[in-house]
């Protein structure tokens, strides 16, 4: 109450949060798995986000190699399932293995040339490899195919921001907000 904490208080406070972290990790994985179990036909956008964020969490937990190994096997077992290819590309991105991600992306778009999510990832890979012209071309292609929530515009804005082209990034954020308002996504806008 006086604002003074003993070393024991500080240790206990850290321990509580440490244990909460483990509990939250367990709960997050359980709920990602439940969302993923619903399948892409239930809600493709949410399904993809759940798989992507689960992969991200696994990398944060130091289990990235397991994810990549499992995704390679999933692609071999289901070579015509675009969702498995998307997840493998994303796993390589999370691993910062951009050359592997690029090679996998190029193979995937040969099989699935009309999947906008692959082109979003391809653009991200190219931006990481500093192939900006190619990145913007892939994002443009994703936009032509039609993304869920103007994903290509977000990607371009983030890239412009990273390049220090803040006015271009700002203009895109305004465009995104206008499009979201026009589509009645006021909260997102």
């Amino acid at each position: 109450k006086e604002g003074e904490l003993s070393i024991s208080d500080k240790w206990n406070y850290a321990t509580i949060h440490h244990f909460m972290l483990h509990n939250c990790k367990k709960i997050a994985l359980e709920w990602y798995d439940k969302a993923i179990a619903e399948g892409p036909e239930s809600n493709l956008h949410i399904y993809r986000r759940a798989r992507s964020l689960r992969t991200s969490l696994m990398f944060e937990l130091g289990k990235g190699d397991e994810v990549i190994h499992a995704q390679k096997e999933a692609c071999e077992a289901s070579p015509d399932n675009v969702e498995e290819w998307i997840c493998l590309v994303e796993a390589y991105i999370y691993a910062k293995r951009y050359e592997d991600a690029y090679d996998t992306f190029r193979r995937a778009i040969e099989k699935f040339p009309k999947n906008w999510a692959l082109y979003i990832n391809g653009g991200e890979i190219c931006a990481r490899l500093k192939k900006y012209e190619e990145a913007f071309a892939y994002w443009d292609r994703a936009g032509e195919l039609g993304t869920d929530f103007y994903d290509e515009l977000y990607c371009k804005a983030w890239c412009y921001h990273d390049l220090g082209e803040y006015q271009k990034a700002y203009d895109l954020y305004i465009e995104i907000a206008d499009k979201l308002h026009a589509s009645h996504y006021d909260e997102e806008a």
Side-chain angles (χ1 to χ4, degrees):
K1 288 180 178 178
E2 291 85 36
E4 297 293 325
L5 296 174
S6 70
I7 189 170
S8 179
D9 293 330
K10 293 173 186 175
W11 171 77
N12 280 320
Y13 194 62
T15 302
I16 288 168
H17 284 82
H18 182 181
F19 291 161
M20 284 177 21
L21 173 123
H22 288 288
N23 189 48
C24 288
K25 170 194 72 169
K26 179 179 164 260
I27 292 169
L29 288 172
E30 285 174 6
W31 283 99
Y32 282 141
D33 289 343
K34 287 177 184 181
I36 292 165
E38 294 284 328
E41 56 284 338
S42 178
N43 182 322
L44 182 58
H45 177 72
I46 298 298
Y47 173 81
R48 283 183 177 161
R49 293 299 300 144
R51 287 197 71 179
S52 180
L53 290 173
R54 187 187 194 285
T55 297
S56 172
L57 177 57
M58 293 297 284
F59 271 88
E60 290 172 25
L61 298 172
K63 298 185 182 282
D65 289 341
E66 290 176 33
V67 172
I68 289 173
H69 179 73
Q71 274 312 128
K72 282 179 166 179
E73 287 183 348
C75 285
E76 289 170 10
S78 301
D80 295 325
N81 184 337
V82 68
E83 298 306 320
E84 299 303 344
W85 286 88
I86 291 169
C87 289
L88 180 57
V89 170
E90 287 182 350
Y92 281 132
I93 292 170
Y94 285 123
K96 297 183 169 118
R97 291 172 51 180
Y98 302 122
E99 293 295 341
D100 290 329
Y102 186 75
D103 292 342
T104 304
F105 158 72
R106 296 292 301 161
R107 285 186 298 144
I109 61 170
E110 285 178 23
K111 293 175 73 67
F112 312 102
K114 295 188 187 272
N115 186 284
W116 67 263
L118 283 170
Y119 289 98
I120 290 294
N121 288 331
E124 181 177 346
I125 295 162
C126 289
R128 304 284 179 144
L129 293 171
K130 300 188 183 329
K131 298 178 181 183
Y132 298 112
E133 190 173 318
E134 195 174 345
F136 280 88
Y138 288 136
W139 291 327
D140 286 341
R141 180 65 180 134
E144 290 166 10
L145 293 169
T147 60
D148 283 344
F149 292 101
Y150 314 108
D151 301 61
E152 75 283 2
L153 299 180
Y154 282 102
C155 292
K156 290 177 183 182
W158 293 329
C159 188
Y160 281 133
H161 181 271
D162 290 346
L163 293 171
E165 296 186 41
Y166 302 117
Q167 186 62 50
K168 287 182 179 179
Y170 172 83
D171 292 343
L172 278 170
Y173 284 126
I174 296 301
E175 181 181 347
I176 292 165
D178 290 344
K179 287 179 181 264
L180 289 169
H181 277 303
S183 299
H184 307 289
Y185 293 115
D186 295 326
E187 288 183 33
E188 292 84 350

